[in-house]
DNA sequence: TTGCACAATGGCAACGTTAACATTTGGGCG
DNA sequence: CGCCCAAATGTTAACGTTGCCATTGTGCAA
């Protein structure tokens, strides 16, 4: 207690317990080839000295860090919290830790994320892509650093995983058409959003698959305000009986916009959103929406790296479908 | 290219550049005592071999990791994303990394967070407290591991930082009384929430400071639904001209609940929330609310650890005030 | 010319851990 | 009684980096 020891090493424990350093190491790893009473003596010494294995020594010896790096260009973003929950859960399962890094988005390249990570104690890395990196086509992951991208785009050298934005639109369109609507109007988002663009494509293709030419879309900007404006515009369109908004905020805004023009939801117009983010925030509106499992996306990414555990596993691409959650904002016309 | 080298070390670079390992090390650290042309030769060798300094070797030698651990009992939680943004920003500034860990909350103790972190490569740790840990009074941080708690409670051995929930209520009450309201009704939250309880205390004390006995509060559960119910209850209370809800979802729910009883906001009743979380989600309602700077909270925590950089700095307690943001939901009675 | 300061570089050891191999001990069996 | 095997423990070396000190080379004042 008097002098503050720099740090307690196996050597100190070994000396106190009267055994070799190796036996201490074996005890730490609970090797069966140490006599129970010896183990107990060593454990007692560890407790007395407050021994904690040194991560650096261990990693140096093993050549592994048991850590996955996560690179984000934007920390705040829809779904990031759920994804992190997934990262943490999967890491935990494998006995790994997560190292988080914010990467400056100027320029917005995978290379910058990769070089940022290269100096950190990680065995593999996950990059969350919100936009299209300038070097997406040419990027090569660092040798020995398994790299997983969170995006819907497939990469030839890196595994990828994301919620299926394309299928999400398909589900919504099928759902609406299945309830007798002749078409589905769409409120889009800014064009630089990768996931938003995929939702838009999915909407178009799903309609065309039914021989329906997609109507003019209304461009939004993710905010409820833009949804409100879109709702007012669409309220005057007599062909519009169902609206699919690319997120919940716009969907909710749209509902209020429709109401401001005397149109009721779902009696006059049906509305569907995406994200299931309104839940606790809006009281008197159970929005029909699509719920993504971003936690699972996060888990898949870390599983891919921690699960391989050195053995270089092949490149895989995973899309995790969302689930359409029925609320009270769609009318069945049949 | 043929054989995959395990990893490139200073030794390899030294050999190729025809210098000693030490000179390579000096070049990496840009020491002035290496001739520019030698440096260039070494750098060329590093490039050719793709040398990346090994974190484990370095940490082992230095005894520092340049990493701050963040322990969370719940990853998903209001403000966590902003806090993480702050962690990442501050870490970046100091050349540190962030290691994220989810701690199982059974039992909910600081000790469990601490022991979880002890095996990871971190120089200090931040714990985000949502509830009251069982061992808050007795907890001692690990020797040599600077520990910062994110909470409003002051701890004798650990620095603490949080948004000022107490002052937030004071601001709201002062604001309402200043606009001629005789009192402020309160919609609270579950009792296990530390921050919620501080908001409640703040509300009580602020009223008493003006000689006003706090009216009966209505207990909510953070959701808009509970706010809705509270609004319906309070709509029938003739003494109620102003309502302070402990988060925005309940405030918004409350507004809708009041409207469902024919009361208009702000004409009949004023409503104030906390968190500024409605922003993009609700279109036709600019709620008067309190905006916290959780990013700054996160930055402060990491600054405290990374800024000290080994030199054990003293225990400090920091409260970061929120800012009341005026919307359209408060009526001036004067 | 000698001596000396200083710049540039090299050699060695140590950080804490653990894999691989070596040694000791005790027991069973021919 | 000697041999061999297995269990338990010890010894050595190496992972990659860098602080410390030693060595070499160069220019300059005495």
């Amino acid at each position: 207690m008097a002098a503050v020891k720099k740090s307690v090493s196996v050597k100190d424990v070994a000396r106190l317990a009267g055994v070799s350093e190796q036996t201490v190491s074996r005890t730490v790893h609970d090797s069966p080839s140490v006599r129970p009473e010896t183990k107990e003596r060593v454990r007692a010494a560890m407790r007395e000295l407050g021994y904690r294995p040194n991560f650096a020594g261990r990693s140096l010896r093993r050549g592994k860090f048991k850590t996955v790096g996560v690179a984000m260009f934007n920390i705040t973003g829809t779904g990031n919290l759920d994804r992190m929950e997934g990262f943490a859960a999967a890491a935990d399962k494998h006995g790994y830790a997560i190292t988080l890094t914010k990467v400056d988005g100027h320029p917005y390249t995978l290379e910058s994320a990769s070089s940022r990570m290269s100096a950190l104690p990680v065995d593999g890395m996950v990059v969350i892509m919100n936009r299209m990196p300038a070097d997406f086509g040419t990027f090569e992951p660092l040798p020995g650093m398994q790299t997983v991208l969170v995006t819907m785009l497939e990469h030839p050298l890196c595994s990828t995983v994301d919620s299926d934005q394309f299928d999400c639109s398909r589900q919504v369109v099928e759902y609406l058409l299945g309830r007798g609507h002749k078409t589905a109007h769409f409120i889009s988002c800014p064009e630089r959003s990768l996931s938003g663009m995929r939702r838009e494509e999915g909407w178009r293709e799903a309609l065309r698959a039914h021989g329906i030419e997609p109507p003019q879309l209304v461009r939004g900007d993710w905010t409820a305000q833009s949804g409100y404006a879109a709702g007012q515009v669409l309220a005057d369109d007599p062909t519009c009986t169902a609206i699919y908004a690319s997120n919940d905020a716009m969907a909710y805004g749209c509902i209020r916009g429709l109401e401001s023009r005397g149109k009721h939801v779902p009696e006059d117009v049906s509305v569907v959103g995406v994200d299931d983010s309104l839940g606790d925030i809006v009281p008197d509106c159970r929005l029909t929406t699509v719920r993504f499992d971003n936690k699972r996306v996060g888990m898949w990414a870390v599983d891919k790296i921690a699960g391989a555990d050195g053995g270089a596993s092949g490149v895989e691409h995973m899309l995790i479908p969302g689930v359409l959650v029925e609320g009270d904002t769609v009318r069945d016309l049949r």
Side-chain angles (χ1 to χ4, degrees), chain A residues 206-280:
Chain A
L207 282 176
R208 291 204 173 116
H210 284 267
I212 302 169
E213 184 56 24
Q216 178 65 39
L217 62 75
V218 183
R219 198 154 290 284
D221 62 3
W222 291 132
T223 68
Q225 285 301 343
S226 70
Y228 191 88
Q232 292 188 317
V233 169
L234 291 169
D236 297 334
D237 182 342
T239 69
C240 174
T241 68
I243 300 172
Y244 167 38
S246 28
N247 79 350
D248 281 357
M250 293 195 292
Y252 186 63
C254 176
I255 291 173
R256 311 290 287 168
L258 288 165
E259 281 173 356
S260 78
R261 284 284 205 271
K263 297 271 192 174
H264 293 289
V265 176
E267 294 78 8
D268 304 318
V269 183
S270 297
V271 175
V272 180
V274 182
D275 275 350
D276 195 29
S277 61
L278 247 52
D280 288 347

Side-chain angles (χ1 to χ4, degrees), chain A residues 36 43-44 49 59 75 97 102 118 123 137-138 150 167 190 211 235 253 326 332:
Chain A
R43 293 225 174 86
L49 297 174
S59 306
I75 307 258
K102 178 171 166 58
S118 70
D123 303 317
T138 58
V150 176
D167 172 76
E326 290 193 284
D332 195 331

